[in-house]
Amino acid sequence: MDSDKMKNKKVLLIIGGIIVVLLLALGGYFYLNKGKDSSSSTTRANIKSQISDIDWASYDSNEITLDGKSVKITEAGTYTLTGEISDGLIEINTDGKVKLILNGVTITNSKGPTINVVNADTVEIETVKGTTNTLTDGSSYTGYDEDVNACIFSKDDLILSGEGTLNVTANYEDGIVSKDDLKITGGTYIINAKDEAIRGKDSLEITGGEFTITAKGDALKSTNDTDTDKGFILISGGTFNIEATNDGI
């Protein structure tokens, strides 16, 4: 009789333990999703459309042959770049939208980033099919804001597109960074980064492309942890070969 009571007691304890685990799981679920609803996905969809639905044909078109010196872009428009900058950068500082079309470009900057978006509404960087474009930054930065830490750095929305190849060697810290939303729609990317390879603070969306990444930090990252509608990574296409010392994604 005592043996039966002990068995019943064990069964009750097991059932009670299962109920406690389920309650804790449900509590964690509702805590993590507190205040979230379908508006989050709607907001994310809006973010994606805002930075990709741009009629570039309506903007002025410019062609620039790089001759070894830095170039500063202060007007909205599309800019097709060829040539080389041996020790300098492309700097963008405008209130409008800018598209850079890289058509066989080599940029090296021993003292900072190779492309620095100081201010812009949106910047798109497109690589031309059949071309290889090579960007290499310095191992230390001089004369830049403290948060500028990437070979391609943008304080505003950034789009990467095209069918060409982009080689990024980040000797200082990160490879490609946007402090807002970062979207990649196509292209081939070979990135070697001393720290993180690709980072979009508010969001990182990848819909296509081929990625070969070697990162001593994280490979793909989004860092906004204060806004529930931001700080997400969305991957719906692309192929990835990632070697990361910390997190892959």
Side-chain angles (χ1 to χ4, degrees):
M1 198 65 176
D2 291 339
S3 176
D4 291 339
K5 286 181 178 180
M6 288 296 294
K7 289 180 180 178
N8 291 336
K9 189 174 182 180
K10 288 180 180 179
V11 171
L12 289 172
L13 286 172
I14 292 170
I15 294 172
I18 292 172
I19 291 171
V20 169
V21 170
L22 288 173
L23 288 173
L24 287 172
L26 286 171
Y29 171 82
F30 286 116
Y31 174 78
L32 290 172
N33 290 275
K34 181 173 63 177
K36 296 183 180 180
D37 54 27
S38 60
S39 62
S40 296
S41 59
T42 302
T43 302
R44 293 179 184 186
N46 290 339
I47 290 171
K48 291 182 288 181
S49 63
Q50 286 170 5
I51 69 169
S52 58
D53 295 340
I54 302 172
D55 180 16
W56 290 113
S58 65
Y59 286 80
D60 290 339
S61 180
N62 307 271
E63 294 188 5
I64 299 177
T65 301
L66 305 176
D67 59 359
K69 300 177 183 178
S70 295
V71 172
K72 180 179 286 189
I73 294 174
T74 58
E75 299 291 336
T78 65
Y79 296 82
T80 300
L81 307 178
T82 58
E84 179 179 354
I85 296 177
S86 56
D87 195 9
L89 77 160
I90 304 294
E91 180 180 286
I92 298 172
N93 194 348
T94 175
D95 292 330
K97 294 178 173 66
V98 172
K99 183 174 185 177
L100 299 181
I101 301 174
L102 306 185
N103 188 18
V105 166
T106 299
I107 303 175
T108 302
N109 187 2
S110 64
K111 301 179 182 65
T114 56
I115 297 176
N116 184 26
V117 182
V118 178
N119 182 60
D121 181 289
T122 302
V123 171
E124 180 170 348
I125 300 173
E126 176 185 324
T127 55
V128 174
K129 184 178 181 179
T131 68
T132 298
N133 304 273
T134 302
L135 309 178
T136 307
D137 70 356
S139 58
S140 62
Y141 285 13
T142 303
Y144 298 92
D145 291 345
E146 186 177 351
D147 62 343
V148 178
N149 66 342
C151 189
I152 298 176
F153 182 86
S154 177
K155 289 192 174 181
D156 298 290
D157 293 334
L158 180 63
I159 305 168
L160 301 179
S161 65
E163 299 181 67
T165 298
L166 183 62
N167 288 321
V168 176
T169 301
N171 295 306
Y172 181 55
E173 287 186 13
D174 299 345
I176 301 170
V177 168
S178 168
K179 300 292 284 186
D180 281 340
D181 298 304
L182 173 56
K183 181 172 183 177
I184 303 174
T185 64
T188 299
Y189 301 89
I190 302 170
I191 302 173
N192 288 275
K194 188 174 181 180
D195 192 9
E196 296 161 358
I198 302 174
R199 172 163 55 91
K201 180 179 179 179
D202 288 348
S203 71
L204 171 58
E205 182 190 5
I206 300 175
T207 62
E210 298 180 11
F211 300 83
T212 301
I213 295 173
T214 303
K216 292 184 178 178
D218 302 322
L220 307 176
K221 189 171 186 177
S222 185
T223 58
N224 189 325
D225 58 2
T226 59
D227 190 326
T228 57
D229 290 325
K230 298 180 180 180
F232 64 90
I233 297 175
L234 174 61
I235 299 174
S236 58
T239 59
F240 302 85
N241 184 346
I242 294 174
E243 180 181 344
T245 302
N246 290 336
D247 296 329
I249 301 175

